[in-house]
Amino acid sequence: MKNDTLERLAEVLEERKSADPQSSYVAKLYGKGLDAILKKIGEEATETVMAAKDGEGERIVSEVADLWFHCLVMLAHEGLGPTAVLAELDRRFGLSGLEEKARRTEG
């Protein structure tokens, strides 16, 4: 597995912004706007939860992949990318979850 998968996918998602909606699922989703993208994220999140409750490993992985993909579409739509999310996770690394949550509620 390559470590640059998220970056390569982010590049493709950027390219799809200028693609014909009839030729690309992502271009069609961009054309429908943020609400449609968020709806897909909600659907995929629900499917991920259902797969986890059923305890089906392969299905869990598949649904998480769908969820992450649609989250990447949303990030790209908003002019962001996986690098920003990875930087935030890196910033949090080594902090206890309780400490990190307390820092967010202070400001």
Side-chain angles (χ1 to χ4, degrees):
M1 182 173 68
K2 294 186 176 192
N3 291 332
D4 65 343
T5 301
L6 292 176
E7 283 302 317
R8 290 183 301 124
L9 183 52
E11 289 174 13
V12 171
L13 294 177
E14 281 299 316
E15 292 170 6
R16 295 298 189 267
K17 286 181 177 180
S18 60
D20 177 2
Q22 299 303 315
S23 69
S24 164
Y25 167 76
V26 173
K28 184 181 284 189
L29 199 51
Y30 284 144
K32 291 180 179 180
L34 183 60
D35 284 348
I37 295 167
L38 297 176
K39 182 178 178 186
K40 281 303 294 180
I41 290 172
E43 290 171 9
E44 299 303 343
T46 299
E47 291 172 5
T48 299
V49 169
M50 291 169 39
K53 290 204 53 93
D54 292 342
E56 299 175 16
E58 281 186 36
R59 192 166 144 239
I60 293 168
V61 169
S62 177
E63 296 300 344
V64 169
D66 289 345
L67 177 59
W68 285 13
F69 176 82
H70 287 91
C71 286
L72 288 167
V73 171
M74 181 265 306
L75 286 169
H77 184 272
E78 295 299 302
L80 301 166
T83 303
V85 176
L86 293 172
E88 176 61 13
L89 289 172
D90 191 50
R91 183 192 68 78
R92 295 179 187 185
F93 195 83
L95 292 176
S96 78
L98 296 174
E99 180 183 358
E100 198 283 324
K101 187 173 181 179
R103 285 183 180 183
R104 283 188 280 155
T105 58
E106 288 172 358

